[in-house]
Amino acid sequence: MAIRNLLITLLLLFTSFSMALGHEVGNLGHYPVVVSTWPFVEAVRAAWRAIDSGFSAVDAVVEGCSACEELRCDGTVGPGGSPDENGETTLDALVMNGATMEVGAVAAMRYVKDGIKAARLVMQHTGHTLLVGEQASAFAISMGLPGPTNLSSSESVQKWSKWKENRCQPNFWKNIVPVDSCGPYHPKDIAELGRGTCSSANLMAAVESRSSHIGLHNHDTISMAVIDKEGHIAVGTSTNGATYKIPGRVGDGPIAGSSSYADDEVGACGATGDGDIMMRFLPCYQVVESMRLGMEPKLAAQDAIKRIARKFPDFVGAVFAINKNGLHAGACHGWTFQYSVRSPEMEDVEVFTVFP
């Protein structure tokens, strides 16, 4: 009886320890698995159908992110959302093969609605990693993707018009004049900018709080990771970027190691949030490397987020982490984060909630 009670106690302790570290997908090495930022359930289902049918991890990621682009998830993925200052929608996307470490990406891409497919074409048919702007569009069209097409929608045009009526507030400019207008903008006097900037307190005071224009429905990304039946890992990211961004802006979406990262030997990570801040820290590269050194997914995710928050306490963002055995977890700052998972023992996609 004493031995039985001891075994029960040990089992309870092990279960509690596992829950503290993250959520495990069945038995170790039980594939396939799909993980995505946010409750983008249809996108995860599309990736699951592909991977369950024997597709590679890369192709399943493309299927999942393509579904989100077509559905215009939250208005922040694919065409028809997040107008820039000129009212135009542009796309950023990335795909990474964790088996070969190949990456394909496009940024500030105009006139082509299939961002993630364009990224895969870059990976498959060039020796480059990233193509940008109209040249990325021309490449994608030359490789068979439909275009040119207007990526704006009636909703995005209406949103942009209301923003213009509000004197282009909020926006991403700083240290400029005039402040309360739509421009054209000019730098403040250099001498004025230079005064009193020697102390770290003044330097941090000069960093404008971005929370007023960073949020779920104006600055979001689908970032997806897939482990296929062979245990190979891939990640993909697609976004139309920050709403009212300065034309030409590229965020973290097409940057390997920032929005997502994968390595078959370790696992994967996906990120979402204020890409302009997050890309300075390469949080997904940090997560994967922390797991490589033995850190569990939950602790690796929390560590990456804390590194950013120490420097930018007002930043908004989140990451999910999954190791090569299917153990997954998330961490966030500035908002409540949700991520979606589908694995063999689940009847359908399940959504996990992470609190700051």
Side-chain angles (χ1 to χ4, degrees):
M1 188 66 176
I3 295 176
R4 180 176 178 272
N5 290 338
L6 176 61
L7 290 174
I8 291 173
T9 301
L10 290 173
L11 179 61
L12 289 172
L13 286 172
F14 177 78
T15 301
S16 299
F17 179 69
S18 297
M19 290 178 66
L21 294 177
H23 305 277
E24 183 130 21
V25 177
N27 299 322
L28 296 181
H30 195 186
Y31 315 126
V33 184
V34 179
V35 185
S36 170
T37 52
W38 304 116
F40 295 150
V41 173
E42 291 304 322
V44 174
R45 286 172 178 159
W48 178 259
R49 287 192 295 270
I51 205 70
D52 198 41
S53 300
F55 282 47
S56 70
V58 168
D59 290 340
V61 160
V62 171
E63 289 295 311
C65 290
S66 290
C68 214
E69 291 172 347
E70 292 171 9
L71 292 168
R72 302 181 181 183
C73 293
D74 277 347
T76 59
V77 179
S82 300
D84 64 18
E85 284 192 339
N86 293 335
E88 183 180 3
T89 297
T90 56
L91 304 183
D92 299 341
L94 170 147
V95 64
M96 180 174 187
N97 185 336
T100 65
M101 307 306 286
E102 292 175 294
V103 175
V106 292
M109 186 173 70
R110 311 172 72 188
Y111 313 133
V112 177
K113 65 181 179 62
D114 300 301
I116 194 71
K117 290 180 180 178
R120 180 173 58 182
L121 288 170
V122 172
M123 185 175 71
Q124 290 178 329
H125 300 293
T126 81
H128 301 311
T129 293
L130 173 64
L131 298 181
V132 303
E134 289 192 43
Q135 290 84 357
S137 310
F139 165 80
I141 293 169
S142 74
M143 297 302 292
L145 292 182
T149 185
N150 183 1
L151 300 185
S152 298
S153 65
S154 59
E155 292 84 2
S156 68
V157 172
Q158 183 179 24
K159 180 185 289 188
W160 175 73
S161 297
K162 289 182 177 179
W163 178 74
K164 295 285 282 187
E165 292 171 3
N166 194 42
R167 301 187 305 280
C168 302
Q169 303 298 316
N171 61 49
F172 289 90
W173 292 89
K174 66 180 183 179
N175 300 326
I176 50 86
V177 291
V179 174
D180 193 21
S181 80
C182 292
Y185 304 107
H186 306 284
K188 285 183 179 179
D189 183 78
I190 299 300
E192 180 184 344
L193 285 176
R195 281 192 213 107
T197 58
C198 292
S199 74
S200 60
N202 284 333
L203 282 172
M204 291 311 295
V207 178
E208 178 187 0
S209 173
R210 300 162 59 88
S211 59
S212 61
H213 50 74
I214 305 298
L216 177 59
H217 296 292
N218 69 348
H219 206 341
D220 192 24
T221 302
I222 180 171
S223 188
M224 177 177 285
V226 172
I227 306 178
D228 66 22
K229 291 182 177 180
E230 304 300 319
H232 297 306
I233 308 173
V235 291
T237 301
S238 183
T239 180
N240 49 39
T243 306
Y244 316 130
K245 58 185 175 284
I246 298 170
R249 178 264 190 185
V250 174
D252 66 329
I255 308 302
S258 187
S259 68
S260 57
Y261 197 72
D263 187 334
D264 272 16
E265 296 177 358
V266 183
C269 167
T272 180
D274 187 346
D276 289 298
I277 298 298
M278 297 177 77
M279 68 194 298
R280 303 170 192 176
F281 295 82
L282 297 179
C284 277
Y285 178 79
Q286 181 66 55
V287 165
V288 172
E289 290 309 303
S290 292
M291 292 194 297
R292 189 190 306 276
L293 295 175
M295 197 175 288
E296 294 291 344
K298 185 171 184 177
L299 299 179
Q302 290 174 339
D303 174 70
I305 290 295
K306 286 177 182 177
R307 288 169 184 261
I308 306 173
R310 281 197 294 269
K311 299 291 187 178
F312 294 91
D314 293 330
F315 107 95
V316 175
V319 298
F320 70 75
I322 181 168
N323 67 18
K324 64 181 181 180
N325 296 320
L327 186 67
H328 59 85
C332 60
H333 184 86
W335 57 9
T336 297
F337 173 54
Q338 292 182 303
Y339 68 97
S340 305
V341 181
R342 179 70 160 92
S343 61
E345 60 274 9
M346 297 177 180
E347 293 185 2
D348 198 0
V349 180
E350 295 185 10
V351 177
F352 295 82
T353 299
V354 182
F355 298 97

